[in-house]
């Protein structure tokens, strides 16, 4: 298992970094669209779409995304939809996790998949308008990885109070607090060096970091709940040793979607 994880990482990491820094806009849109479509396919499997339903869902989603990009040359999400994204992740998802709602293969299930993946794809494109912006996008993505690593090690060392015992028994409140603290240090360092993609007062930067860390945890928990409710361990076996694409980008889906929505709604620069 460890050998598979390492080999998969050695293949995927250079591919991701190469596309992020080297691809032109159209190629990057196609590559990030492929990531979103694979995650959408896995989501549909988790909530038990039939093979035919899943195929039609993917075809409709791919065709809609292609037309949207072809028409705008960037994915365009109006402000009202960005507000919906914020309401979804900041208000609805916490209630979803509290009451443990289940998603079924119906119209609501279709819309849920789109509200997860379309803003994620839009964020990957809008936050990287050209290769020169790749570092800024990478810095936000790194925030997610730092939060995940910090939550794991702090929780493993000091964790006593379970964060969501019926959804993800290994997560703790101590781990979540540790993640917020480590991300705060990370954002301070980036801001001091001028590497942070936003220019905000320090206290606003701390609030933004805390919100994105909380959203990152919620994204992870939401995917864990979807899998638990669907009776599956991994979203798929596309990535040997790592599970599926959705397993790897669950927190990124949440954080990038919310960050891109905040940039638009509050004109964060």
């Amino acid at each position: 298992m460890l050998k598979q994880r390492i080999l998969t990482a050695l293949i995927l990491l250079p591919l991701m970094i190469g596309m992020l820094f080297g691809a032109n806009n159209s190629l990057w849109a196609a590559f990030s669209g492929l990531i979103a479509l694979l995650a959408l396919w896995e989501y549909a499997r988790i909530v038990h779409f039939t093979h035919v339903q899943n195929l039609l869902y993917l075809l409709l989603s791919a065709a809609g995304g292609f037309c949207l990009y072809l028409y705008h040359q960037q994915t365009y999400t109006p402000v009202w939809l960005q507000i919906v994204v914020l309401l979804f992740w900041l208000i609805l998802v916490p209630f979803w996790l509290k009451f443990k709602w289940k998603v079924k293969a119906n119209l609501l299930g279709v819309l849920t998949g789109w509200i997860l993946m379309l803003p994620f794809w839009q964020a990957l494109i809008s936050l990287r308008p050209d290769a020169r912006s790749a570092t800024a996008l990478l810095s936000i993505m790194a925030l997610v990885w730092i939060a995940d690593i910090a939550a794991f090690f702090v929780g493993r060392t000091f964790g006593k109070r379970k964060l969501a015992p019926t959804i993800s028994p290994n997560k703790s409140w101590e781990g979540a607090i540790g993640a917020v603290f480590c991300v705060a240090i990370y954002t301070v360092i980036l801001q001091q060096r001028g590497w942070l993609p936003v220019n905000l007062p320090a206290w606003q930067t701390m609030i933004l970091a805390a919100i994105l860390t909380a959203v990152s945890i919620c994204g992870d928990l939401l995917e864990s709940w979807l899998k638990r409710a669907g009776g599956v361990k991994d979203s798929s076996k596309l990535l040997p040793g790592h599970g599926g694409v959705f397993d790897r980008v669950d927190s990124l889906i949440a954080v990038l979607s919310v960050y891109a929505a905040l940039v638009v709604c509050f004109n964060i620069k």
Side-chain angles (χ1 to χ4, degrees):
M1 178 65 73
L2 180 59
K3 182 179 179 180
Q4 284 184 324
R5 290 178 68 90
I6 294 173
L7 288 175
T8 302
L10 288 175
I11 294 172
L12 293 181
L13 187 58
L15 175 62
M16 181 66 188
I17 296 299
M19 294 297 292
L20 182 61
F21 285 91
N24 60 34
N25 286 0
S26 296
L27 184 57
W28 173 249
F31 178 73
S32 55
L34 177 62
I35 294 173
L37 278 176
L38 288 173
L40 185 66
W41 170 71
E42 292 172 344
Y43 158 82
R45 291 177 71 250
I46 291 171
V47 299
H48 301 300
F49 281 38
T50 66
H51 292 301
V52 174
Q53 287 175 329
N54 202 342
L55 177 61
L56 292 175
Y57 188 35
L58 287 180
L59 289 174
L60 180 60
S61 302
F66 177 76
C67 292
L68 183 64
Y69 184 80
L70 191 65
Y71 182 74
H72 290 287
Q73 288 302 306
Q74 293 280 339
T75 54
Y76 170 72
T77 307
V79 174
W80 69 265
L81 189 53
Q82 298 286 20
I83 293 173
V84 170
V85 171
L86 292 177
L87 292 175
F88 175 80
W89 282 109
L90 300 181
I91 297 178
L92 183 61
V93 168
F95 279 102
W96 190 344
L97 295 172
K98 178 178 176 59
F99 295 107
K100 300 178 180 63
W101 300 323
K102 294 185 178 181
V103 180
K104 298 180 180 180
N106 51 25
L107 179 59
L108 183 59
V110 169
L111 295 176
T112 300
W114 283 339
I115 198 64
L116 287 171
M117 304 306 170
L118 179 60
F120 171 54
W121 180 49
Q122 182 271 334
L124 284 169
I125 297 174
S126 65
L127 296 175
R128 185 208 178 266
D130 51 54
R132 292 172 296 180
S133 304
T135 302
L137 175 55
L138 185 61
S139 70
I140 300 299
M141 296 168 73
L143 179 150
V144 174
W145 302 326
I146 289 171
D148 189 42
I149 293 169
F152 175 78
F153 283 105
V154 174
R156 187 177 181 180
T157 306
F158 303 105
K160 293 182 179 179
R161 294 173 295 173
K162 300 297 183 182
L163 180 63
T166 60
I167 298 176
S168 186
N170 293 327
K171 286 184 171 55
S172 67
W173 281 104
E174 291 81 3
I177 293 170
V180 172
F181 182 73
C182 290
V183 168
I185 294 174
Y186 167 74
T187 53
V188 168
I189 293 173
L190 257 62
Q191 190 170 49
Q192 289 179 343
R193 294 182 175 273
W195 295 345
L196 200 66
V198 295
N199 185 21
L200 297 172
W203 67 272
Q204 291 183 10
T205 301
M206 293 299 98
I207 292 175
L208 178 62
I211 290 173
L212 293 180
T213 304
V215 168
S216 174
I217 295 170
C218 284
D220 191 356
L221 288 174
L222 179 60
E223 200 247 358
S224 295
W225 168 243
L226 289 173
K227 291 190 296 184
R228 187 172 290 273
V232 300
K233 181 180 179 181
D234 296 318
S235 58
S236 76
K237 298 186 182 300
L238 282 178
L239 308 177
H242 292 265
V245 174
F246 197 8
D247 293 319
R248 300 278 63 83
V249 301
D250 49 8
S251 295
L252 283 174
I253 288 170
V255 168
L256 294 182
S257 299
V258 168
Y259 178 72
L262 288 172
V263 168
V264 171
C265 293
F266 296 96
N267 196 29
I268 296 176
K269 294 181 179 179

